[in-house]
Amino acid sequence: MANDAFGLGQSDRKVWSYLETVFGPEDPILAEIRERSAAAGLPDIQVARFDGRHLEIVARATGARRVVEIGTLGGYSGVCLARGMASGGRLDTFEYEPRHAEVARESFRRAGFADRVRIHVGRARDELGKIESHGPFDLLFIDADKVSYPDYLRWGIANLRRGGIVLADNVFRAAFGATGDWSEESVAALDLFNRELVGGGEFAATFIPTVEGLAFGVKL
Ligand SMILES: C[S@@+](CC[C@H](N)C(=O)[O-])C[C@H]1O[C@@H](n2cnc3c(N)ncnc32)[C@H](O)[C@@H]1O
């Protein structure tokens, strides 16, 4: 199709500023989390404003109640997910760095979700087993160490309900190979993740064409 010549999505600045104005993806609560995280010295690697909105809307549209996030950072994406959770929902979020978890705890408290979010501090691969008895889960958002994405996907296969959702950030990176901070091992893992998500027979999958690429699968 002729439209392929324009690539994915829309990168025209006019469209971006229009969407920023009309859809207003970041409210004062999220802006405060971004600013407080930066002031606390956390890396500026939370999801972009529209990714946050996508997370909320997918959670809301699917009526997600039992939500898992791998990679909490300062709680920005977690607040977006928690906003989308159905009533009585609970978010289990996993973070390796205690300092990040501390900032996130304050973010969830300020956003009014302290009683609906549990932050698990440690390596996600070691900690995930501790929540399995609370499953099956409705939604899994993956946004931590890239080398473990295939393992996190396997965890999702075992612990998401049928019709459950997996979302994963940064998946377009697999197209670039190793560059800058992105090691050969990380991009190979992202590539394996994408191929298993699409071709493994466990999910129907597509992607949301954000800047970094948000993979989106539904468990069959
Ligand atoms: C990209 S940031 C997450 C951003 C967050 N989802 C947001 O948008 O607000 C990745 C986070 O994963 C954490 N992390 C890295 N490896 C991890 C692991 N093995 N287990 C749990 N967390 C990990 C990092 O410390 C970092 O805070």
Side-chain angles (χ1 to χ4, degrees):
M1 290 217 352
N3 275 348
D4 289 353
F6 295 98
L8 287 167
Q10 244 302 355
S11 56
D12 189 310
R13 284 273 142 214
K14 282 202 290 273
V15 177
W16 274 105
S17 71
Y18 171 82
L19 295 175
E20 284 280 345
T21 307
V22 175
F23 285 76
E26 186 171 79
D27 67 1
I29 290 176
L30 292 174
E32 190 275 335
I33 294 173
R34 189 185 290 281
E35 285 155 18
R36 184 165 36 79
S37 297
L42 270 53
D44 184 18
I45 53 172
Q46 63 278 305
V47 294
R49 291 189 291 274
F50 276 106
D51 304 55
R53 177 63 63 82
H54 296 324
L55 295 176
E56 176 186 338
I57 299 303
V58 171
R60 204 175 276 282
T62 55
R65 287 182 66 246
R66 288 153 303 174
V67 178
V68 179
E69 173 182 63
I70 305 176
T72 318
L73 193 66
Y76 189 100
S77 57
V79 165
C80 297
L81 288 165
R83 282 177 172 175
M85 289 189 309
S87 96
R90 195 176 73 192
L91 170 67
D92 284 286
T93 183
F94 292 81
E95 174 52 54
Y96 178 65
E97 293 284 351
R99 202 165 52 88
H100 298 184
E102 204 178 301
V103 173
R105 196 161 287 115
E106 178 64 7
S107 302
F108 293 123
R109 190 191 66 75
R110 289 184 186 216
F113 294 116
D115 57 341
R116 301 178 67 190
V117 177
R118 286 198 315 201
I119 306 175
H120 305 263
V121 183
R123 275 184 214 286
R125 279 201 282 189
D126 301 334
E127 299 292 317
L128 278 163
K130 297 179 185 165
I131 64 162
E132 285 172 6
S133 62
H134 300 292
F137 297 91
D138 299 315
L139 191 154
L140 167 65
F141 173 49
I142 305 170
D143 189 22
D145 51 323
K146 308 307 160 194
V147 290
S148 302
Y149 270 38
D151 287 333
Y152 298 147
L153 184 65
R154 281 172 215 127
W155 188 86
I157 291 168
N159 292 285
L160 283 170
R161 68 167 167 84
R162 186 178 299 178
I165 304 292
V166 64
L167 293 159
D169 198 16
N170 310 110
V171 297
F172 288 175
R173 286 279 172 178
F176 295 113
T179 50
D181 289 345
W182 294 79
S183 67
E184 199 71 62
E185 201 190 2
S186 299
V187 291
L190 284 173
D191 180 53
L192 179 61
F193 171 90
N194 288 333
R195 290 174 192 277
E196 288 192 352
L197 178 69
V198 177
E202 302 283 354
F203 293 91
T206 185
F207 55 85
I208 300 178
T210 58
V211 175
E212 293 278 328
L214 192 60
F216 184 175
V218 182
K219 193 172 167 210
L220 298 170

